[in-house]
Amino acid sequence: MQNSFFMPVKCAWGQNAVLENSILLSRLGKRCLIVTGKSGAIKSGALADAEKALKAENIEYKIFDKLGENPLASVCREAGEAAREFKADFILGIGGGSVLDGSKAIAIYASNPELAPLDIYRREYSASPLPVALIGTTAGTGSEVTAVAVLTNDETGIKKSISGEDCYAAVSFCDPKYTLSLPYKSTVSTALDAFAHAVEGFFTQKCEGIPRVFAEKCIPEIYCCLKTLSESKTVPEEIRDTLYYSSIYAGLVINTCGTAFPHPLGYVLTENYGIPHGTACAAFFAPFIDRCAEYAPEKFDAFIKMTDKPEAVKAVIASLTDLSGASIGRENAEKYALRWQSVIPKNFTASPGGLTQREAAEILALI
């Protein structure tokens, strides 16, 4: 039974959260490095609002816009150097999960110039990270409220996470209006990511008490939105708020409970075939839910009551999971599974019934 819950991020929640709560930024310092990707922060309007808020508080800022999808550790370190050169007091990340995760790492590099890019995985450094503020522009990762950052190892190309209390943001601005510009395909993938977080976290043993309340709130809401996305092939504006807020609740679930095996298996599809993260995780939903039915029948019954009949749920997820260009097969599956030869990920252990390296290869080979 999970008997502790910790989530220290201050969340400014709702319409115009950034502009109406600019004072929260002033409490972090007077100089700020804004971290973004190339276009999302601009198209969403989030960057414009952030600049207005910073100017209102007389905070000087500089923009670093080189963070792409699946951010490299080396690029995060480069941004950390930019923050030091600017003498930034804090980091403001604006974007989807890659930017939000990267901003947490950048705050660590900024305070610790001795760290080489891959040193961050050792989790040993002397100075505390700079404070971090986050503005999410997608409804998927829940990174706004988690103590996790996923980076890509420059040497191996493998995605690997860091986690700990030093990876929490000081404040997150949660306004669903910034997701309005997100196109259909990206909306689907990020929604699948949020669903994966909620469902994978729900089936871990840790998901009791407060996290279970969050899971039981967001699972039916996200599933309803996924059905709408599957049927309409467009994104009705009225589901944007539900999707975004539900992704935050799903983030609160994995912040305590973590994820299960679809996530590390999904990394294989992202790294080697360019499949977006949420879609990549959803590719393994069917075998995951089958194992949940076998090894966690009580929670499985609760899950079905929140959603639909098992085959109907699988059909909705499959209809939204575009794996064009991805074909793993037996030989590649065996090769990819070697990454788990020495260390079984905690995601495998947390999955109902557990998962071995051999079983992971068998599931990968189905793609």
Side-chain angles (χ1 to χ4, degrees):
M1 172 76 70
Q2 174 68 27
N3 57 10
S4 65
F5 179 79
F6 180 67
M7 201 291 290
V9 183
K10 186 176 186 67
C11 293
W13 191 277
Q15 190 74 14
N16 297 320
V18 176
L19 296 175
E20 294 180 3
N21 295 277
S22 60
I23 191 172
L24 297 178
L25 295 170
S26 71
R27 294 170 183 171
L28 302 180
K30 300 305 293 182
R31 296 176 69 84
C32 164
L33 182 75
I34 299 177
V35 177
T36 73
K38 286 298 181 184
S39 61
I42 296 172
K43 290 179 180 178
S44 66
L47 179 58
D49 281 356
E51 290 184 286
K52 288 179 184 177
L54 292 168
K55 289 174 182 176
E57 300 297 333
N58 295 312
I59 298 172
E60 295 184 50
Y61 63 88
K62 179 180 179 179
I63 298 174
F64 183 94
D65 63 359
K66 299 180 184 179
L67 228 60
E69 292 184 12
N70 311 306
L72 292 169
S74 61
V75 177
C76 293
R77 185 181 185 279
E78 179 185 347
E81 291 177 352
R84 280 197 306 276
E85 291 172 1
F86 184 65
K87 295 183 171 57
D89 297 314
F90 67 99
I91 306 297
L92 173 57
I94 307 174
S98 292
V99 171
L100 304 191
D101 281 8
S103 296
K104 299 172 185 179
I106 290 165
I108 295 172
Y109 287 120
S111 297
N112 295 275
E114 75 282 1
L115 291 182
L118 301 187
D119 286 346
I120 198 166
Y121 292 117
R122 292 165 47 201
R123 308 297 284 124
E124 296 175 1
Y125 51 85
S126 57
S128 298
L130 295 183
V132 175
L134 300 175
I135 303 174
T137 61
T138 65
T141 69
S143 186
E144 293 93 331
V145 294
T146 69
V148 177
V150 180
L151 310 177
T152 299
N153 183 313
D154 291 75
E155 294 182 356
T156 65
I158 291 176
K159 295 173 66 173
K160 184 179 179 181
S161 66
I162 61 172
S163 62
E165 293 185 17
D166 56 332
C167 289
Y168 280 114
V171 59
S172 285
F173 298 91
C174 304
D175 187 341
K177 75 178 181 182
Y178 300 130
T179 68
L180 290 173
S181 62
L182 204 64
Y184 176 80
K185 187 174 181 179
S186 298
T187 300
V188 167
S189 183
T190 52
L192 289 171
D193 190 21
F195 194 61
H197 291 163
V199 175
E200 290 176 41
F202 176 70
F203 278 104
T204 68
Q205 292 185 348
K206 290 183 177 181
C207 195
E208 297 296 343
I210 294 174
R212 183 158 181 164
V213 172
F214 292 140
E216 291 177 343
K217 174 173 176 53
C218 66
I219 287 174
E221 292 182 347
I222 300 172
Y223 178 66
C224 184
C225 291
L226 290 173
K227 287 178 67 176
T228 299
L229 290 170
S230 177
E231 294 163 359
S232 68
K233 305 301 180 184
T234 60
V235 188
E237 187 172 329
E238 60 267 21
I239 73 170
R240 292 287 193 181
D241 284 20
T242 300
L243 272 178
Y244 182 73
Y245 291 132
S246 293
S247 77
I248 299 299
Y249 286 119
L252 291 168
V253 174
I254 62 167
N255 187 52
T256 296
C257 305
T259 55
F261 74 70
H263 261 69
L265 267 60
Y267 289 167
V268 171
L269 285 175
T270 299
E271 294 160 3
N272 297 284
Y273 301 93
I275 302 298
H277 171 68
T279 302
C281 294
F284 304 102
F285 179 82
F288 176 70
I289 206 66
D290 286 343
R291 291 179 72 89
C292 292
E294 180 179 358
Y295 294 106
E298 292 183 8
K299 276 194 173 180
F300 183 77
D301 289 344
F303 170 74
I304 295 307
K305 289 178 182 177
M306 288 188 278
T307 54
D308 211 336
K309 294 179 180 179
E311 295 310 312
V313 181
K314 290 180 186 179
V316 169
I317 301 304
S319 72
L320 295 168
T321 306
D322 181 6
L323 300 180
S324 300
S327 179
I328 295 178
R330 172 61 60 181
E331 184 177 350
N332 283 330
E334 296 287 349
K335 180 181 71 174
Y336 296 142
L338 291 175
R339 67 201 291 173
W340 303 305
Q341 189 170 32
S342 301
V343 180
I344 295 297
K346 59 184 179 182
N347 315 68
F348 285 12
T349 306
S351 302
L355 197 77
T356 66
Q357 179 199 10
R358 169 57 48 195
E359 289 170 325
E362 291 173 355
I363 293 172
L364 284 172
L366 298 173
I367 303 299

